[in-house]
Amino acid sequence: MSDSHLTLPIHAVAEQIVTGLATHGRIVLSAPTGSGKSTQVPQILIDAAQVQGDVVVLQPRRLAARLLAKRVAQERGCKLGEEVGYQIRFENVVGPNTRIRFVTEAILLRQILQDPTLKGVGAVVFDEFHERHLTSDLSISCALKSVQTVRPDLKIVVMSATLDVDLLEGYLQPCARVEASGRMYPVETRYLGAALNRDAAPVWSRAAAAFRAAVREGIEGDMLIFMPGAFEIRKTIEAVQAMPESRGYEVLPLHGELSPDAQDRAVSSGARRKVIVSTNVAETSITIEGVRVVIDGGQARIARYDARRGVNSILVEPISRASAEQRTGRAGRTGPGTCLRLWSEAEHAARAERDEAEVKRVDLSETLLLLAAAGISQPETFAWFELPEPKALARAHDLLLDLGALNAAGAITAMGRKMAGFPLHPRYARMLLEADRRGVLPEVALIAGLSQGRSFYRVSRDARVRKEQLRQVEDQADQRSDFFVQLQAWHLARAAKFNANACGALGIHGGSARQAGDTARQLLQLAQRQGLDTREAALPDEAERIAKCLLAGFSDHLAKRNDTGTRRCRMVHGRSGELRRESVVDAPLFVAAEIEEREVRREVTVLLGMATAVEFAWLEELFPDDFSDGNQTTYDPSLRRVVARSERRFRDLVLSSTDQGEPDLDRAAELLAAEVVAGRLNLKGWDAVVENWILRVNFVARHCPDAEVPEIDDEEARQLLVEQICHGALSYKEIKDRPVLATVKEWISPEQHYYIDTYAPAEMELPRRRNPARIRYEADGRAFIASKLQDFYDVPGSSLIVGNGKVQLLVELLAPNQRPAHLTDDLDGFWAGAYQHVRKDLAGRYPKHEWR
């Protein structure tokens, strides 16, 4: 190490780090921004001869991995790829003598799953662990398992500026706990939400306004502006450069998709003052010297499961308070700084304290596939750092089963092993493999690219634009898939060189179309590395081949129209939905790449979009093991009757059926009863009288167990009763008017009816009332009697008892207008106490009534 770095705060705890590893083999290091942990800890481990083998440093981001490796190599006076190197997707800059290797999380995860011994690795350093990426959670679980089983000498270091140290210390026990101080200057934080009229201007305009204000105020130093993505960065740079205040500043972007040279320009020192507009890659790990002003847009792109598309999506969301503090600290590294937050202080207080762990918010199918490839076929037994939701695990397992990646026992298939070789969502890995087999990889890669970002082509409401869409896009596209419409739109956009005006005339967003093409190229590069054939070939049945690839990726979204005149459909996994009206597909059988739930007037409608027509024979070709044949007795909701049919099913979706005569009457009664209990069919005779009788039975069963009266308190009991009522019938028409009460009363023996009438009487005589008062029984075991207050004069409270003398009736004393005036379970106490207040109130309003 060069002498210039010996003054970093992390060196004050270097001995604790070395001693902790020597004693326990693992440490949790809490070290704030500016302490030097990311660059110095790997060197401390190497220089102390504490580690036998390489030091692998996990970084959440590719940009940080490369820049940190470059910095450490400079400090150690070597070239990148010699003693210090890095390994990220598509780049491997390491050599035979590399001792310190900075890698992204997925690289290590795949390595440790393939080789749990981590041959040649002496220590694993988890940097910025607070970001809680799914891959880092899995990697630390796998590393700990390796230590406990095959590599007891492997050292583990977990570090961050904002760690939940107690949680990690408990997970890694036994381990050492080390806390380092930082080297920070004070940073003044200001909230500009209200002043910059947050609701009126896009975030880049507000950031440019904040930049202008900072320059006019004379704040010194370079500026760092945080934006959620490359699009917002470009718009911010344009807005800043349009201002006269930007003269004298070099305005530079910083994000993971830039070339290494462009990234280096942004983070290196220069003669001119700089404005760096960055994603959250600059939030941690990377030090940008000279930054004295941070302008924080307060947003980031967050991975989250998108139920509409059945994959993970990147959504722009507000950052947490912890992330905001990390960003603020970037302004106080070399001197006092200023942080301008483009939201209000009240909004800040309402934000989440920390970022939610990815394991709680993303689709787990790719993770489960990697685990299965490593021989872990029961993920619920895996030692997760934080357990995922059982529902998320089940959803991921079902998808992998549908894609053919797992078998019924949860073990990986040959297809699954090929899919696991792609660092992609399993849907798209499956589609690319199918496309390679069918010779249509470039077009399917483009479809996958179109699906990753925001939609670039939509039906326009402008009549003139809509006319051109129909003429140039939709009428020219193959009508077998909505994706073919998207492909036609993309090819038109490319022909127009993605020009905004030319694309806009067709309702196409040129920038998004260009981005989709870039993504497709990356996917093709990835496929080529996996040995797939990426050459373009003109095939006469190309559209059919592409449609089969879409079926392979979305077979769990298979839908069958209820009939030719409707867009309503039944789907696999017992779901139903409605094909969107803008879809060009008019086929009885299709797969939908998008599923969206909408609630209208308290009813949930499932809308199916991006449809592709499929044929019955394709299902048999791609998924021959997913068919079943058999005779089924089912309830047909359209006919409202039970039918016996011979059915051909794909998974649980009935594709074809033929009638097989009269159904079994016992099974028919069971199915009709299930519809009644679920509330979809209504028995007219099942009225309030029946419900009241059931409540009386349950009251006696609860309070008088000696009577041995069985309860009717659950769905199963009601199902059995309704089955008796329905027996012998096949349709709703036959059961809707059937008598109910007599059958329900048969639930108990004739002798037990005495107990119902005696212990839970339906009514009770009151001396001053002409007719008996009804007793109301509740499901919770209480019983009420209600009547006018005057009806209870001279009625002793001890007489208002039911349940064989065990249950005191709750008395509802009604005012002359029949509304409750008082409720009591102690009538005698009421006359002696509360009655005086009730009488005073009611006598004034109803003077003609008797008031004692």
Side-chain angles (χ1 to χ4, degrees), residues 215 219-222 247-251 270-275:
V215 173
I219 300 177
E220 295 294 327
D222 293 343
R247 290 180 195 144
Y249 282 91
E250 190 176 13
V251 187
R272 295 176 65 193
R273 288 185 297 178
K274 287 191 297 186
V275 177

Side-chain angles (χ1 to χ4, degrees), residues 65-193:
R66 190 184 68 80
L67 292 179
L68 286 169
K70 181 181 177 184
R71 177 68 175 266
V72 174
Q74 287 173 346
E75 290 182 8
R76 298 186 74 81
C78 67
K79 290 182 179 180
L80 263 179
E82 294 179 351
E83 187 189 23
V84 182
Y86 68 92
Q87 195 174 356
I88 62 179
R89 193 170 74 168
F90 304 148
E91 286 186 70
N92 188 4
V93 186
V94 296
N97 299 319
T98 300
R99 293 292 314 282
I100 299 174
R101 179 160 46 105
F102 289 85
V103 305
T104 44
E105 298 159 333
I107 298 286
L108 178 78
L109 178 60
R110 286 178 176 267
Q111 181 182 351
I112 200 169
L113 285 172
Q114 290 165 7
D115 174 23
T117 67
L118 282 180
K119 185 179 178 181
V121 177
V124 180
V125 180
F126 294 84
D127 196 12
E128 307 302 351
F129 190 76
H130 72 278
E131 295 195 17
R132 296 297 310 282
H133 290 183
L134 178 57
T135 42
S136 61
D137 275 19
L138 284 169
S139 297
I140 199 172
S141 300
C142 292
L144 187 58
K145 184 180 179 182
S146 292
V147 170
Q148 294 166 342
T149 54
V150 293
R151 279 295 308 277
D153 61 317
L154 181 68
K155 312 297 184 187
I156 297 176
V157 180
V158 186
M159 58 191 195
S160 168
T162 55
L163 272 177
D164 188 341
V165 177
D166 294 335
L167 178 67
L168 266 165
E169 191 177 16
Y171 182 74
L172 292 172
Q173 281 292 352
C175 74
R177 178 171 177 161
V178 179
E179 297 188 29
S181 61
R183 185 175 67 185
M184 288 289 296
Y185 292 90
V187 178
E188 178 193 2
T189 301
R190 304 182 203 168
Y191 294 91
L192 305 182

Side-chain angles (χ1 to χ4, degrees), residues 40-81:
Q40 303 308 305
V41 167
Q43 299 184 68
I44 290 169
L45 301 185
I46 291 290
D47 294 338
Q50 182 59 235
V51 173
Q52 301 303 312
D54 298 348
V55 174
V56 176
V57 187
L58 260 75
Q59 283 296 326
R61 297 179 183 84
R62 289 175 289 169
L63 179 107
R66 190 184 68 80
L67 292 179
L68 286 169
K70 181 181 177 184
R71 177 68 175 266
V72 174
Q74 287 173 346
E75 290 182 8
R76 298 186 74 81
C78 67
K79 290 182 179 180
L80 263 179

Side-chain angles (χ1 to χ4, degrees), residues 686-799:
W686 197 295
D687 54 16
V689 175
V690 172
E691 288 292 346
N692 190 54
W693 196 84
I694 290 173
L695 289 168
R696 290 170 65 199
V697 169
N698 293 342
F699 181 86
V700 174
R702 173 182 286 203
H703 294 295
C704 309
D706 292 345
E708 296 183 351
V709 172
E711 280 190 87
I712 313 174
D713 65 339
D714 59 16
E715 196 171 290
E716 184 180 356
R718 288 177 178 257
Q719 170 85 14
L720 289 171
L721 281 171
V722 179
E723 280 182 30
Q724 291 181 45
I725 296 165
C726 296
H727 201 275
L730 296 176
S731 68
Y732 176 54
K733 183 179 180 181
E734 294 173 73
I735 65 169
K736 64 179 180 180
D737 294 317
R738 283 190 172 180
V740 171
L741 184 60
T743 303
V744 172
K745 284 191 172 184
E746 290 174 4
W747 180 259
I748 60 175
S749 67
E751 295 80 15
Q752 290 172 325
H753 280 255
Y754 165 80
Y755 295 120
I756 307 302
D757 294 336
T758 306
Y759 297 160
E763 52 193 24
M764 181 177 283
E765 297 279 353
L766 295 176
R768 295 172 58 88
R769 183 181 167 116
R770 184 183 305 167
N771 301 314
R774 189 172 70 87
I775 298 175
R776 186 176 84 251
Y777 296 91
E778 297 283 359
D780 59 8
R782 295 183 299 167
F784 294 77
I785 186 170
S787 194
K788 285 194 302 182
L789 182 147
Q790 287 81 1
D791 293 340
F792 291 99
Y793 286 157
D794 305 322
V795 176
S798 58
S799 67

Side-chain angles (χ1 to χ4, degrees), residues 547-849:
K548 286 179 178 178
C549 298
L550 287 160
L551 169 59
F554 290 95
S555 65
D556 59 315
H557 289 182
L558 183 71
K560 183 178 184 294
R561 287 183 192 252
N562 292 347
D563 57 61
T564 54
T566 180
R567 288 179 171 263
R568 300 193 69 81
C569 315
R570 295 191 310 279
M571 303 179 68
V572 290
H573 301 312
R575 298 168 295 176
S576 60
E578 184 176 333
L579 182 61
R580 286 183 175 276
R581 295 195 175 279
E582 57 266 30
S583 175
V584 300
V585 175
D586 184 19
L589 201 62
F590 63 88
V591 288
E594 293 184 356
I595 298 180
E596 182 180 4
E597 287 191 358
R598 281 191 181 173
E599 187 172 336
V600 181
R601 300 186 189 93
R602 298 188 179 179
E603 284 192 14
V604 176
T605 301
V606 179
L607 297 175
L608 310 178
M610 297 310 297
T612 300
V614 301
E615 296 179 16
F616 188 92
W618 301 356
L619 294 170
E620 293 180 313
E621 178 189 345
L622 269 72
F623 304 98
D625 297 332
D626 289 5
F627 281 87
S628 60
D629 297 286
N631 295 325
Q632 297 284 335
T633 299
T634 58
Y635 174 76
D636 187 327
S638 61
L639 300 174
R640 299 219 283 190
R641 69 178 291 118
V642 175
V643 294
R645 289 172 175 157
S646 174
E647 293 180 343
R648 175 87 159 142
R649 289 174 177 254
F650 176 74
R651 296 172 188 160
D652 64 343
L653 178 64
V654 178
L655 296 180
S656 62
S657 64
T658 54
D659 288 338
Q660 291 290 304
E662 288 293 295
D664 176 75
L665 292 177
D666 288 339
R667 178 62 177 152
E670 185 182 331
L671 292 168
L672 287 170
E675 295 298 309
V676 172
V677 172
R680 291 185 287 270
L681 297 180
N682 177 45
L683 294 175
K684 293 182 179 178
W686 197 295
D687 54 16
V689 175
V690 172
E691 288 292 346
N692 190 54
W693 196 84
I694 290 173
L695 289 168
R696 290 170 65 199
V697 169
N698 293 342
F699 181 86
V700 174
R702 173 182 286 203
H703 294 295
C704 309
D706 292 345
E708 296 183 351
V709 172
E711 280 190 87
I712 313 174
D713 65 339
D714 59 16
E715 196 171 290
E716 184 180 356
R718 288 177 178 257
Q719 170 85 14
L720 289 171
L721 281 171
V722 179
E723 280 182 30
Q724 291 181 45
I725 296 165
C726 296
H727 201 275
L730 296 176
S731 68
Y732 176 54
K733 183 179 180 181
E734 294 173 73
I735 65 169
K736 64 179 180 180
D737 294 317
R738 283 190 172 180
V740 171
L741 184 60
T743 303
V744 172
K745 284 191 172 184
E746 290 174 4
W747 180 259
I748 60 175
S749 67
E751 295 80 15
Q752 290 172 325
H753 280 255
Y754 165 80
Y755 295 120
I756 307 302
D757 294 336
T758 306
Y759 297 160
E763 52 193 24
M764 181 177 283
E765 297 279 353
L766 295 176
R768 295 172 58 88
R769 183 181 167 116
R770 184 183 305 167
N771 301 314
R774 189 172 70 87
I775 298 175
R776 186 176 84 251
Y777 296 91
E778 297 283 359
D780 59 8
R782 295 183 299 167
F784 294 77
I785 186 170
S787 194
K788 285 194 302 182
L789 182 147
Q790 287 81 1
D791 293 340
F792 291 99
Y793 286 157
D794 305 322
V795 176
S798 58
S799 67
L800 301 176
I801 293 178
V802 291
N804 198 19
K806 296 177 181 178
V807 180
Q808 183 74 47
L809 286 172
L810 283 159
V811 181
E812 279 185 346
L813 300 125
L814 307 180
N817 65 354
Q818 298 297 311
R819 291 185 177 178
H822 195 76
L823 177 68
T824 181
D825 61 355
D826 179 8
L827 187 62
D828 297 334
F830 166 74
W831 298 126
Y835 175 59
Q836 300 305 317
H837 300 285
V838 174
R839 179 183 182 280
K840 183 179 180 182
D841 176 48
L842 294 180
R845 286 193 282 153
Y846 305 100
K848 293 182 179 180
H849 290 263

